[in-house]
Amino acid sequence: MTSAPLRTLPTAARRGPDRRSADPLAVLSRHLNRDCLHALQPQELAAILEAEGYTDTLIQERYGDLSVFACAERLFQLVPYRPPTLARSASPTLRPGHIGRDLLRGVIYLLPAVWSPAVLALGWNGSQSLSGDAGQSTSLSSIQGAGLGLLISSFFGWGWMQSVAYLGYLGLATSPAETARMLRWAGAGAVALTGVLAAAAAAALGQDPVQVGVVGLSIACYLAAATALLVLSSEVLLVISLLPALTWLGLQAAFSGGLAQSNAPQQAAVVLALAVGLPVVAALYSSQPALIGAMQAAAARVRGVPVAVPSPRRLGRAAWRRALPHAGYGWLCAGFLSLALLHPLSPSDQYGSAGMLGLSWSLAPLVLSMGVLELSVRRIHAALRQKAGTTGTVSSIVRSSAWQVLKVGVQYTALLFLAYVLARLLAPEFGFQRPSWLLILGHLQVAAALLFSGLLINFGALNRVLGAWALALAAQLALLLAHVDVVSSYTLSAGGVLALLLALMWLALMDIRNLG
């Protein structure tokens, strides 16, 4: 293959219309604007596209080109060349709307912990409360009925909904109709699979498959609806749809001291119907293609860019296959936390060997901080883009970028540490057991690991992230089998995965293409 000729300065005839086009390729050129303006050969753009995670299949589905290189050739011809300047890039900025949305998401991730315990009051098979004493048996076989359905749907939902979100975002880059199809069909499939798994697990454990399956389906329906609304940036609508259930719980707590024992199952059923039904209705309404198109048009007006022309293509089986690794990431993270909380291998009633179910509340600050984590990821990407526009040697830019990543990571974990200090002080006031400092250290390491995992996934290193968490899960299991207490095994394995992810982050930053 002969090398492509170097670019020449543009003529006036090539300026304007191509840059203003709403064609999907033109939208991509604006996303890679600086790279397209300064590239001297199409091979540079091909390398950048691959670093952004574009594959030949994805290029075919979105832009109609046969390969990444063919798409790079068209980008090279589309965007006029501009010689780079030595001016320093502007300081990274975050839109206020993004900040508020990210922080609201942390609250949304925690809200199920407020209403989902009502499921345990359904009175099915004597399911135990998740806020029980640490000294009770916490083996998997002792979690019964509604509690088992809640556990299974939460565990598998973490993975399924990662895939649903990936397909939803892929649909947004294609067309409103494809977005609606992906969110509805992928969500429905995840709900059905969760229900089948819940019923099968109940049958294997000698419990009622119908009761466990109904609870599993209900929680999975909520997770699918919440995922669709988050993909569509409808966080406020999701919170509004949950207000009736939360209000009902608040009134019960204020006037009856909680769910009255005489009619607890009926009250729990009302809470479950409100908390699941209303978000599902909101998701079905918001996922209409016309509303999705209007949302995209409004977002484009805010950014001052034209709306991309919807593609007539439909996402095929390749998109569904690419979504599975995202589910694997969710399952590995859920498995890592569940192994510590439940320790299903041991039915012992000793705290050190039977898990940390009585301390499951200690995950609340971590979950609440997920909004801050997403905001931190945005901050890091904005800072890295700024570093990519500065002058200097590659090694100096890499070191400066690594310091920026580390600085934001330390700020995030420091904020979370302060939240844990406050939670530890207030725990006895609310009747909760205080977590040990060793357990808090484990939670902080997991939070930092999730932050770096998100960055690496954005850099296209999902497979490396999967390998790191798989090793961490295996290490945790090995420590438990070696009779290391559950808190120590959790913290040690969390430290191991954090160290591994830090090493992978350094390797990713050494590829300076990831900075942009």
Side-chain angles (χ1 to χ4, degrees):
M1 180 183 295
T2 60
S3 60
L6 296 180
R7 265 179 152 164
T8 60
L9 289 175
T11 62
R14 295 191 55 189
R15 298 176 181 172
D18 287 341
R19 299 288 306 281
R20 295 191 297 269
S21 173
D23 181 79
L25 187 71
V27 175
L28 176 64
S29 73
R30 287 189 290 277
H31 174 65
L32 303 174
N33 184 52
R34 181 167 52 203
D35 301 309
C36 292
L37 286 173
H38 304 327
L40 295 176
Q41 297 187 31
Q43 289 92 332
E44 297 178 40
L45 297 178
I48 292 169
L49 287 172
E50 291 176 346
E52 289 264 335
Y54 288 92
T55 62
D56 290 344
T57 303
L58 187 58
I59 288 293
Q60 291 175 24
E61 291 175 351
R62 290 192 186 180
Y63 309 109
D65 295 294
L66 295 178
S67 65
V68 171
F69 186 81
C71 183
E73 285 274 11
R74 284 214 294 154
L75 283 173
F76 184 79
Q77 297 297 327
L78 176 65
V79 182
Y81 173 76
R82 294 288 186 275
T85 66
L86 297 179
R88 182 173 293 274
S89 301
S91 299
T93 58
L94 293 173
R95 295 189 180 96
H98 284 163
I99 297 175
R101 183 180 302 163
D102 288 337
L103 295 179
L104 181 59
R105 287 192 172 208
V107 177
I108 289 172
Y109 296 149
L110 190 60
L111 283 179
V114 177
W115 61 263
S116 59
V119 174
L120 303 178
L122 290 170
W124 290 348
N125 285 0
S127 56
Q128 64 187 37
S129 172
L130 290 182
S131 59
D133 296 332
Q136 68 186 4
S137 173
T138 58
S139 64
L140 185 59
S141 60
S142 68
I143 301 178
Q144 302 177 2
L148 181 62
L150 177 60
L151 172 67
I152 292 175
S153 58
S154 300
F155 177 87
F156 284 101
W158 193 341
W160 292 136
M161 300 314 157
Q162 291 278 341
S163 290
V164 173
Y166 172 81
L167 291 170
Y169 286 121
L170 204 59
L172 284 174
T174 306
S175 67
E178 194 63 5
T179 305
R181 188 176 77 91
M182 285 292 101
L183 289 175
R184 291 180 176 182
W185 282 102
V191 170
L193 286 172
T194 302
V196 171
L197 285 171
L205 295 173
Q207 300 186 29
D208 189 334
V210 175
Q211 292 180 347
V212 176
V214 167
V215 172
L217 284 172
S218 300
I219 303 300
C221 281
Y222 167 78
L223 293 175
T227 300
L229 291 170
L230 291 176
V231 169
L232 298 174
S233 301
S234 299
E235 293 87 355
V236 174
L237 181 58
L238 176 56
V239 172
I240 292 174
S241 69
L242 286 172
L243 285 180
L246 299 177
T247 302
W248 181 276
L249 283 173
L251 292 174
Q252 289 294 331
F255 296 104
S256 304
L259 296 177
Q261 294 299 320
S262 58
N263 60 347
Q266 292 83 353
Q267 296 177 38
V270 171
V271 172
L272 186 61
L274 291 174
V276 173
L278 293 181
V280 168
V281 172
L284 290 174
Y285 172 78
S286 297
S287 60
Q288 298 178 74
L291 291 180
I292 296 174
M295 175 202 70
Q296 291 180 315
R301 285 195 299 270
V302 171
R303 295 195 303 269
V305 298
V307 183
V309 176
S311 171
R313 301 182 186 88
R314 300 183 66 176
L315 300 176
R317 295 180 180 178
W320 293 82
R321 287 194 299 269
R322 290 196 302 273
L324 289 178
H326 293 270
Y329 170 64
W331 289 329
L332 285 172
C333 293
F336 185 85
L337 294 173
S338 299
L339 193 59
L341 292 174
L342 301 175
H343 195 351
L345 303 178
S346 173
S348 171
D349 60 357
Q350 297 299 315
Y351 166 74
S353 61
M356 303 182 300
L357 200 55
L359 285 166
S360 58
W361 75 268
S362 67
L363 288 174
L366 173 60
V367 175
L368 189 61
S369 75
M370 289 297 100
V372 182
L373 183 148
E374 294 188 9
L375 180 61
S376 299
V377 170
R378 289 184 187 274
R379 286 182 59 201
I380 290 174
H381 280 302
L384 292 182
R385 284 193 294 270
Q386 182 193 22
K387 297 298 180 184
T390 59
T391 58
T393 63
V394 172
S395 59
S396 66
I397 293 175
V398 169
R399 285 195 301 269
S400 179
S401 300
W403 167 248
Q404 189 66 38
V405 171
L406 186 61
K407 182 177 73 172
V408 176
V410 169
Q411 290 172 345
Y412 165 63
T413 51
L415 183 62
L416 182 57
F417 174 72
L418 293 177
Y420 269 114
V421 170
L422 181 62
R424 194 173 188 275
L425 289 174
L426 297 178
E429 300 295 328
F430 294 93
F432 293 123
Q433 179 183 350
R434 279 181 173 172
S436 66
W437 292 113
L438 186 62
L439 176 58
I440 291 176
L441 175 61
H443 288 336
L444 293 175
Q445 292 177 148
V446 168
L450 291 174
L451 172 64
F452 294 129
S453 295
L455 285 170
L456 287 167
I457 290 173
N458 290 346
F459 292 156
L462 176 58
N463 290 334
R464 295 181 180 181
V465 172
L466 292 176
W469 282 101
L471 289 174
L473 186 60
Q476 187 184 20
L477 181 60
L479 290 170
L480 290 173
L481 292 176
H483 305 293
V484 177
D485 69 273
V486 66
V487 176
S488 297
S489 63
Y490 170 72
T491 304
L492 286 172
S493 50
V497 70
L498 177 57
L500 186 54
L501 290 169
L502 282 171
L504 292 174
M505 178 60 62
W506 174 255
L507 293 176
L509 292 177
M510 290 180 67
D511 185 350
I512 201 168
R513 293 172 299 179
N514 287 327
L515 304 187

PDB file of all heavy atoms in Angstrom, residues 254-273:
ATOM      1  N   ALA A 254     -43.765   8.167  59.622  1.00  0.00           N
ATOM      2  CA  ALA A 254     -44.130   9.286  60.482  1.00  0.00           C
ATOM      3  C   ALA A 254     -45.320   8.974  61.377  1.00  0.00           C
ATOM      4  O   ALA A 254     -45.348   9.366  62.554  1.00  0.00           O
ATOM      5  CB  ALA A 254     -44.436  10.520  59.620  1.00  0.00           C
ATOM      6  N   PHE A 255     -46.307   8.236  60.847  1.00  0.00           N
ATOM      7  CA  PHE A 255     -47.545   8.046  61.595  1.00  0.00           C
ATOM      8  C   PHE A 255     -47.722   6.645  62.170  1.00  0.00           C
ATOM      9  O   PHE A 255     -48.532   6.437  63.050  1.00  0.00           O
ATOM     10  CB  PHE A 255     -48.750   8.361  60.694  1.00  0.00           C
ATOM     11  CG  PHE A 255     -48.792   9.790  60.262  1.00  0.00           C
ATOM     12  CD1 PHE A 255     -48.427  10.157  58.980  1.00  0.00           C
ATOM     13  CD2 PHE A 255     -49.185  10.780  61.148  1.00  0.00           C
ATOM     14  CE1 PHE A 255     -48.461  11.481  58.576  1.00  0.00           C
ATOM     15  CE2 PHE A 255     -49.220  12.116  60.751  1.00  0.00           C
ATOM     16  CZ  PHE A 255     -48.863  12.472  59.461  1.00  0.00           C
ATOM     17  N   SER A 256     -46.961   5.674  61.650  1.00  0.00           N
ATOM     18  CA  SER A 256     -47.117   4.301  62.147  1.00  0.00           C
ATOM     19  C   SER A 256     -45.814   3.705  62.635  1.00  0.00           C
ATOM     20  O   SER A 256     -45.773   2.530  63.007  1.00  0.00           O
ATOM     21  CB  SER A 256     -47.701   3.399  61.040  1.00  0.00           C
ATOM     22  OG  SER A 256     -48.920   3.929  60.561  1.00  0.00           O
ATOM     23  N   GLY A 257     -44.730   4.486  62.605  1.00  0.00           N
ATOM     24  CA  GLY A 257     -43.438   3.952  63.029  1.00  0.00           C
ATOM     25  C   GLY A 257     -42.888   2.915  62.079  1.00  0.00           C
ATOM     26  O   GLY A 257     -42.122   2.040  62.471  1.00  0.00           O
ATOM     27  N   GLY A 258     -43.286   2.979  60.820  1.00  0.00           N
ATOM     28  CA  GLY A 258     -42.839   1.996  59.833  1.00  0.00           C
ATOM     29  C   GLY A 258     -44.014   1.159  59.357  1.00  0.00           C
ATOM     30  O   GLY A 258     -45.179   1.489  59.584  1.00  0.00           O
ATOM     31  N   LEU A 259     -43.729   0.046  58.692  1.00  0.00           N
ATOM     32  CA  LEU A 259     -44.785  -0.824  58.192  1.00  0.00           C
ATOM     33  C   LEU A 259     -45.464  -1.514  59.357  1.00  0.00           C
ATOM     34  O   LEU A 259     -44.824  -2.221  60.145  1.00  0.00           O
ATOM     35  CB  LEU A 259     -44.214  -1.872  57.227  1.00  0.00           C
ATOM     36  CG  LEU A 259     -43.591  -1.323  55.941  1.00  0.00           C
ATOM     37  CD1 LEU A 259     -43.015  -2.458  55.115  1.00  0.00           C
ATOM     38  CD2 LEU A 259     -44.611  -0.552  55.127  1.00  0.00           C
ATOM     39  N   ALA A 260     -46.774  -1.289  59.502  1.00  0.00           N
ATOM     40  CA  ALA A 260     -47.509  -1.918  60.594  1.00  0.00           C
ATOM     41  C   ALA A 260     -47.548  -3.423  60.401  1.00  0.00           C
ATOM     42  O   ALA A 260     -47.787  -3.915  59.297  1.00  0.00           O
ATOM     43  CB  ALA A 260     -48.928  -1.347  60.647  1.00  0.00           C
ATOM     44  N   GLN A 261     -47.322  -4.165  61.478  1.00  0.00           N
ATOM     45  CA  GLN A 261     -47.240  -5.618  61.366  1.00  0.00           C
ATOM     46  C   GLN A 261     -48.565  -6.230  60.922  1.00  0.00           C
ATOM     47  O   GLN A 261     -48.595  -7.269  60.276  1.00  0.00           O
ATOM     48  CB  GLN A 261     -46.825  -6.213  62.718  1.00  0.00           C
ATOM     49  CG  GLN A 261     -45.411  -5.826  63.144  1.00  0.00           C
ATOM     50  CD  GLN A 261     -44.370  -6.307  62.161  1.00  0.00           C
ATOM     51  OE1 GLN A 261     -44.467  -7.411  61.632  1.00  0.00           O
ATOM     52  NE2 GLN A 261     -43.372  -5.461  61.908  1.00  0.00           N
ATOM     53  N   SER A 262     -49.692  -5.567  61.254  1.00  0.00           N
ATOM     54  CA  SER A 262     -50.993  -6.159  60.935  1.00  0.00           C
ATOM     55  C   SER A 262     -51.243  -6.234  59.436  1.00  0.00           C
ATOM     56  O   SER A 262     -51.876  -7.172  58.957  1.00  0.00           O
ATOM     57  CB  SER A 262     -52.109  -5.348  61.605  1.00  0.00           C
ATOM     58  OG  SER A 262     -52.048  -3.992  61.176  1.00  0.00           O
ATOM     59  N   ASN A 263     -50.794  -5.267  58.702  1.00  0.00           N
ATOM     60  CA  ASN A 263     -51.013  -5.272  57.250  1.00  0.00           C
ATOM     61  C   ASN A 263     -49.729  -4.969  56.491  1.00  0.00           C
ATOM     62  O   ASN A 263     -49.757  -4.320  55.436  1.00  0.00           O
ATOM     63  CB  ASN A 263     -52.104  -4.280  56.874  1.00  0.00           C
ATOM     64  CG  ASN A 263     -51.751  -2.852  57.274  1.00  0.00           C
ATOM     65  OD1 ASN A 263     -50.808  -2.644  58.031  1.00  0.00           O
ATOM     66  ND2 ASN A 263     -52.505  -1.884  56.766  1.00  0.00           N
ATOM     67  N   ALA A 264     -48.587  -5.402  57.019  1.00  0.00           N
ATOM     68  CA  ALA A 264     -47.296  -5.149  56.374  1.00  0.00           C
ATOM     69  C   ALA A 264     -47.238  -5.684  54.947  1.00  0.00           C
ATOM     70  O   ALA A 264     -46.743  -4.983  54.057  1.00  0.00           O
ATOM     71  CB  ALA A 264     -46.168  -5.725  57.224  1.00  0.00           C
ATOM     72  N   PRO A 265     -47.708  -6.899  54.661  1.00  0.00           N
ATOM     73  CA  PRO A 265     -47.623  -7.387  53.268  1.00  0.00           C
ATOM     74  C   PRO A 265     -48.383  -6.499  52.293  1.00  0.00           C
ATOM     75  O   PRO A 265     -47.905  -6.231  51.185  1.00  0.00           O
ATOM     76  CB  PRO A 265     -48.234  -8.785  53.348  1.00  0.00           C
ATOM     77  CG  PRO A 265     -48.017  -9.207  54.764  1.00  0.00           C
ATOM     78  CD  PRO A 265     -48.184  -7.957  55.569  1.00  0.00           C
ATOM     79  N   GLN A 266     -49.592  -6.016  52.690  1.00  0.00           N
ATOM     80  CA  GLN A 266     -50.368  -5.171  51.796  1.00  0.00           C
ATOM     81  C   GLN A 266     -49.650  -3.830  51.554  1.00  0.00           C
ATOM     82  O   GLN A 266     -49.599  -3.328  50.426  1.00  0.00           O
ATOM     83  CB  GLN A 266     -51.763  -4.919  52.377  1.00  0.00           C
ATOM     84  CG  GLN A 266     -52.650  -6.156  52.428  1.00  0.00           C
ATOM     85  CD  GLN A 266     -52.396  -7.020  53.648  1.00  0.00           C
ATOM     86  OE1 GLN A 266     -51.458  -6.779  54.413  1.00  0.00           O
ATOM     87  NE2 GLN A 266     -53.230  -8.045  53.827  1.00  0.00           N
ATOM     88  N   GLN A 267     -49.102  -3.251  52.636  1.00  0.00           N
ATOM     89  CA  GLN A 267     -48.382  -1.993  52.484  1.00  0.00           C
ATOM     90  C   GLN A 267     -47.139  -2.170  51.615  1.00  0.00           C
ATOM     91  O   GLN A 267     -46.814  -1.315  50.784  1.00  0.00           O
ATOM     92  CB  GLN A 267     -47.984  -1.452  53.850  1.00  0.00           C
ATOM     93  CG  GLN A 267     -49.161  -1.078  54.736  1.00  0.00           C
ATOM     94  CD  GLN A 267     -48.701  -0.613  56.101  1.00  0.00           C
ATOM     95  OE1 GLN A 267     -47.692   0.076  56.215  1.00  0.00           O
ATOM     96  NE2 GLN A 267     -49.432  -0.996  57.128  1.00  0.00           N
ATOM     97  N   ALA A 268     -46.417  -3.285  51.817  1.00  0.00           N
ATOM     98  CA  ALA A 268     -45.226  -3.549  51.012  1.00  0.00           C
ATOM     99  C   ALA A 268     -45.588  -3.710  49.544  1.00  0.00           C
ATOM    100  O   ALA A 268     -44.858  -3.257  48.650  1.00  0.00           O
ATOM    101  CB  ALA A 268     -44.517  -4.798  51.528  1.00  0.00           C
ATOM    102  N   ALA A 269     -46.728  -4.353  49.268  1.00  0.00           N
ATOM    103  CA  ALA A 269     -47.162  -4.522  47.880  1.00  0.00           C
ATOM    104  C   ALA A 269     -47.467  -3.174  47.233  1.00  0.00           C
ATOM    105  O   ALA A 269     -47.160  -2.953  46.053  1.00  0.00           O
ATOM    106  CB  ALA A 269     -48.388  -5.431  47.834  1.00  0.00           C
ATOM    107  N   VAL A 270     -48.050  -2.250  47.999  1.00  0.00           N
ATOM    108  CA  VAL A 270     -48.336  -0.907  47.466  1.00  0.00           C
ATOM    109  C   VAL A 270     -47.034  -0.191  47.123  1.00  0.00           C
ATOM    110  O   VAL A 270     -46.899   0.424  46.059  1.00  0.00           O
ATOM    111  CB  VAL A 270     -49.167  -0.102  48.483  1.00  0.00           C
ATOM    112  CG1 VAL A 270     -49.271   1.363  48.037  1.00  0.00           C
ATOM    113  CG2 VAL A 270     -50.556  -0.698  48.635  1.00  0.00           C
ATOM    114  N   VAL A 271     -46.061  -0.264  48.045  1.00  0.00           N
ATOM    115  CA  VAL A 271     -44.772   0.384  47.803  1.00  0.00           C
ATOM    116  C   VAL A 271     -44.105  -0.203  46.563  1.00  0.00           C
ATOM    117  O   VAL A 271     -43.594   0.535  45.706  1.00  0.00           O
ATOM    118  CB  VAL A 271     -43.855   0.228  49.041  1.00  0.00           C
ATOM    119  CG1 VAL A 271     -42.445   0.727  48.722  1.00  0.00           C
ATOM    120  CG2 VAL A 271     -44.422   0.996  50.218  1.00  0.00           C
ATOM    121  N   LEU A 272     -44.114  -1.522  46.444  1.00  0.00           N
ATOM    122  CA  LEU A 272     -43.477  -2.170  45.298  1.00  0.00           C
ATOM    123  C   LEU A 272     -44.169  -1.782  43.992  1.00  0.00           C
ATOM    124  O   LEU A 272     -43.507  -1.500  42.981  1.00  0.00           O
ATOM    125  CB  LEU A 272     -43.502  -3.693  45.481  1.00  0.00           C
ATOM    126  CG  LEU A 272     -42.748  -4.525  44.444  1.00  0.00           C
ATOM    127  CD1 LEU A 272     -41.266  -4.178  44.454  1.00  0.00           C
ATOM    128  CD2 LEU A 272     -42.947  -6.014  44.715  1.00  0.00           C
ATOM    129  N   ALA A 273     -45.520  -1.726  44.006  1.00  0.00           N
ATOM    130  CA  ALA A 273     -46.254  -1.372  42.795  1.00  0.00           C
ATOM    131  C   ALA A 273     -45.948   0.058  42.363  1.00  0.00           C
ATOM    132  O   ALA A 273     -45.766   0.337  41.172  1.00  0.00           O
ATOM    133  CB  ALA A 273     -47.753  -1.550  43.032  1.00  0.00           C
TER     134      ALA A 273
END
